[in-house]
Amino acid sequence: MLYTALLFGFISSFHCIGMCGAIAMMLPVDRSNPTKKVTQIITYHLGRITAYATIGFIFGLLGKGFFMAGIQQKLSIIIGILMIVAIVIPEKVFAQYNFSKPIFRLISRMKQVLGSQFKKKSYQSLFTIGLLNGFLPCGMVYVALFGAIAMQSTSLGVLYMVLFGLGTIPLMSSVVYINSMLTLSMRNKIQKTIPYVVVLIGVLFILRGLGLGIPYVSPTTMSLFVQENPNCH
């Protein structure tokens, strides 16, 4: 299921252009030196991926707990359903509940620090911008974290989020160069495909939990459970 992280990362980057594209366009990079500009952009992305890997580790631990409890098959089905529900339910319904209110001050502080970093042009500031950007609330990241939990391993949880971050790099990098080509109409059309991709990934997680014996998509239930004794043939 790791391939879904790359796919979702790439598709969600179209959403990121609208939400975080301004940050990418305002990066304090050296626009007169193409080579240095590339390394600076990479540094920014390393910061984002570090943030994703960190939260992937945390949610991977949660997934590992479910795995050790022997409920991984049901978990995969639940994760798939949650992914679909998160897309099907209108965003305005979620907007009625301020889930981030308890940590509002922390988020505000992060934004202040993020803003101060744009006044600098060091690699450290670019890494910090990426790091803080990665920790800011984002619906697409939340959905990706469902996948990290379903990996049932801390290392795979980290890898899932790293791959998600890598999937966002191509478009998030290109926006620095071709922003004028990405018209509002084009962005809107592309963003309309995001719900379909999330539903597809959700269905894949559900199939995985059902254990239908489909190679690479829905392994048998035998391989999904922690067993006291090995099953050898």
Side-chain angles (χ1 to χ4, degrees):
M1 298 299 293
L2 288 172
Y3 64 89
T4 62
L6 275 172
L7 173 63
F8 184 55
F10 178 73
I11 294 297
S12 66
S13 60
F14 290 101
H15 169 81
C16 294
I17 289 178
M19 301 302 294
C20 305
I23 294 179
M25 288 183 284
M26 292 171 57
L27 288 177
V29 297
D30 188 345
R31 303 183 186 278
S32 62
N33 188 328
T35 302
K36 186 177 181 180
K37 183 178 180 180
V38 170
T39 59
Q40 289 174 324
I41 293 174
I42 291 175
T43 302
Y44 161 73
H45 289 309
L46 285 176
R48 287 197 309 114
I49 292 176
T50 299
Y52 295 154
T54 301
I55 54 180
F57 176 80
I58 296 172
F59 282 83
L61 280 174
L62 180 60
K64 182 179 180 180
F66 288 125
F67 177 79
M68 296 305 294
I71 62 173
Q72 57 272 32
Q73 183 182 13
K74 294 179 181 178
L75 176 64
S76 186
I77 296 175
I78 292 173
I79 291 297
I81 293 174
L82 287 175
M83 284 183 171
I84 295 174
V85 168
I87 291 298
V88 173
I89 295 180
E91 187 176 349
K92 61 181 180 180
V93 175
F94 289 111
Q96 297 176 4
Y97 306 94
N98 191 352
F99 296 108
S100 63
K101 188 174 182 179
I103 57 173
F104 179 75
R105 291 184 179 179
L106 176 60
I107 295 174
S108 297
R109 176 57 180 165
M110 287 174 59
K111 290 182 177 180
Q112 290 176 3
V113 176
L114 181 62
S116 66
Q117 294 301 313
F118 283 97
K119 300 176 182 179
K120 307 174 185 178
K121 294 186 178 182
S122 66
Y123 283 96
Q124 182 179 352
S125 64
L126 286 163
F127 181 86
T128 302
I129 291 172
L131 186 69
L132 295 176
N133 185 23
F135 281 122
L136 289 176
C138 175
M140 297 296 100
V141 173
Y142 296 158
V143 175
L145 286 174
F146 286 144
I149 294 175
M151 290 298 100
Q152 306 157 2
S153 162
T154 51
S155 58
L156 290 180
V158 171
L159 181 58
Y160 192 92
M161 292 306 296
V162 168
L163 290 175
F164 168 78
L166 291 175
T168 66
I169 288 179
L171 194 58
M172 290 300 290
S173 297
S174 63
V175 72
V176 181
Y177 296 93
I178 60 173
N179 176 57
S180 59
M181 296 176 59
L182 296 172
T183 64
L184 179 60
S185 175
M186 184 183 299
R187 295 178 188 177
N188 290 335
K189 289 180 180 179
I190 295 173
Q191 287 196 41
K192 288 181 180 179
T193 66
I194 295 177
Y196 297 101
V197 175
V198 175
V199 170
L200 173 61
I201 294 175
V203 170
L204 288 174
F205 273 101
I206 293 173
L207 290 174
R208 178 173 180 251
L210 292 175
L212 301 177
I214 304 174
Y216 305 107
V217 175
S218 183
T220 60
T221 56
M222 184 67 70
S223 64
L224 290 172
F225 284 100
V226 176
Q227 304 177 64
E228 181 178 358
N229 299 312
N231 182 52
C232 302
H233 298 282

